[in-house]
Amino acid sequence: PRSTLVPDTTLFRSVLNGPFDLVGDGPAKRHLQTGEVVADAFRKEGLSWPEPVEIPEFDEFQAFELMRAALPGLLERDPAVRELEMNFRTHTDAREKARAFEKLFQRVTRLWVAGELKTEGVEPWEEFCARVVRGLEQVRELAGRKANVVVFTSGGPISAAAGTALGLTPVKTLELSWVSRNSSYSEFLFSDGRFSLSSFNVHPHITEAHLLTYR
């Protein structure tokens, strides 16, 4: 799960394959809050919930730092970025402004992931993905064989994990993060040397359309 809290905790509990042998949290406040909501749903059903383990490797990539570092230079040399940034600044409708920012963000991050954009002080995409893989290895070591694990993190790490499982290119891995819904969940299988994706971006616990958000 990622980002926002869950509206129907009982339904959410029922669709997850618990109970769990290991609970992991990324370091962000939203990771911890989502985990607390799900933990409460499990406990209300009389199910056990292990003490969570914080796993810093599942932190999100540095999106805000990237935009601050990259945007000034791109505005000078990239006409497409200038147009997208102008659309974002001039929109007064909140929904249209959000859509304009999303297009700007996608343009900048795609350039960054494709290696066409270098930014000082920002963790490179390839290092971010390698960090997530280290987190997955840590989960495997902590959980052991035949363990059932849940980790609360964000869209970027979920997409990096899916990209690793599917052998996707860096840009295709990034694009997965753009379609990941808030508080959706994805399922992965560990078996010996294999790491496989079982499901992605699942959200049957979100029963009201206006709660299906991306950021």
Side-chain angles (χ1 to χ4, degrees):
R2 50 165 293 204
S3 295
T4 56
L5 301 186
V6 179
D8 187 336
T9 57
T10 301
L11 178 58
F12 191 61
R13 197 282 309 160
S14 70
V15 297
L16 282 181
N17 186 25
F20 297 101
D21 303 297
L22 174 70
V23 175
D25 286 325
K29 184 177 181 179
R30 63 185 182 274
H31 304 156
L32 301 175
Q33 288 178 328
T34 306
E36 289 168 359
V37 169
V38 178
D40 183 61
F42 270 70
R43 290 173 182 141
K44 285 180 178 177
E45 294 289 314
L47 298 174
S48 63
W49 189 261
E51 185 67 25
V53 176
E54 183 175 305
I55 305 176
E57 285 79 4
F58 290 121
D59 202 3
E60 184 60 278
F61 69 87
Q62 297 175 301
F64 296 110
E65 292 84 351
L66 169 65
M67 294 297 287
R68 283 195 293 265
L71 198 54
L74 285 172
L75 289 174
E76 293 181 0
R77 65 179 184 271
D78 191 317
V81 169
R82 279 200 301 273
E83 182 178 354
L84 290 169
E85 195 271 343
M86 176 66 73
N87 289 339
F88 166 67
R89 283 195 294 108
T90 56
H91 273 302
T92 56
D93 178 78
R95 180 173 296 182
E96 291 302 319
K97 194 174 187 71
R99 288 175 179 170
F101 177 79
E102 188 67 20
K103 291 179 180 179
L104 173 63
F105 179 75
Q106 290 180 3
R107 170 70 178 177
V108 173
T109 52
R110 185 182 277 112
L111 290 170
W112 173 59
V113 169
E116 300 176 28
L117 183 63
K118 302 299 181 183
T119 53
E120 293 294 330
V122 177
E123 180 185 37
W125 177 257
E126 60 270 21
E127 291 183 17
F128 161 71
C129 291
R131 165 163 61 81
V132 173
V133 170
R134 291 196 301 273
L136 294 171
E137 292 170 350
Q138 184 177 347
V139 166
R140 188 194 293 264
E141 292 172 2
L142 290 171
R145 293 177 59 85
K146 298 183 179 180
N148 202 16
V149 179
V150 61
V151 175
F152 298 92
T153 181
S154 297
I158 294 170
S159 300
T164 298
L166 297 173
L168 300 181
T169 65
V171 171
K172 288 297 183 184
T173 299
L174 170 71
E175 290 174 353
L176 283 182
S177 70
W178 299 342
V179 300
S180 186
R181 299 280 197 168
N182 285 322
S183 82
S184 67
Y185 65 88
S186 300
E187 296 173 289
F188 299 88
L189 301 176
F190 291 89
S191 59
D192 298 323
R194 295 178 59 191
F195 177 62
S196 305
L197 179 65
S198 178
S199 66
F200 177 74
N201 199 27
V202 182
H203 46 78
H205 54 288
I206 303 296
T207 56
E208 298 180 43
H210 74 278
L211 294 175
L212 285 171
T213 58
Y214 292 98
R215 295 190 184 278

